[in-house]
Amino acid sequence: MNALADAAFTGGTNGTCLEPPRLHAYFVHQLFWTWVHTLEVSGVSMGEDGKEKTIPLGRVTSAPFSFINLQEWRAPDGKLVIMSHQDAISTVTNIYVEDCRKKAIATVSEQLAPSSSAVSQYTIQNTEGDIIGISTMSRNFGTEVDINDQRTGKRLVTVSKGWGELTDAWSATFRDGEHESLANEPRVLVMLLAAASAAGAWGLGG
């Protein structure tokens, strides 16, 4: 296991689930020539010198031909971090996020994007159905959307299509100094990105 990745996760013992770190950004990009749809997960931290450091954090794999679009994020050592499954109601897709013990954590509702936008609109709810985070209109020519705190209206995360030279990647950049909630929980955001990347793939690789 990569030493950086090994140091990044906490928990995973005595019946607890792995917890990824809170970093500046996360991004996922598809690995091609694989039988099932597979995404490499990376985190980005900012050093004191202002330079970015990329940390490998495992992979998200999809179950092939799954009607519920089952996806699992596993750390580099193979331990399950989190999973999700979906349902689709007309133009809305609900992504149900569960921890490694299959305990529900959050529901992400994805409103399909218009043809002029590469990104969708998102609502993040807790297990009680309360809205914790909600996105605003897309910007930057339809490649970015902000997820705001429902209570304060403050921007928490920016979801983008692309990361640097990886134009097929999906990324989530976290705003520094904001309080922690489901709307900026790394596990929830990674599964949101994974669902966006796998849309229409039926769990199959490329």
Side-chain angles (χ1 to χ4, degrees), residues 20 36 88 98 106 141 146 151 196:
V36 299
E98 301 175 339
F141 301 101
D146 292 331
R151 182 174 55 85

Side-chain angles (χ1 to χ4, degrees), residues 110-114 117-122 135-136 138 145 159 170 196:
E110 178 185 25
Q111 182 79 32
L112 296 183
S117 177
V119 295
S120 299
Q121 299 292 324
Y122 298 98
S135 65
T136 56
S138 62
V145 66
V159 173
W170 287 84

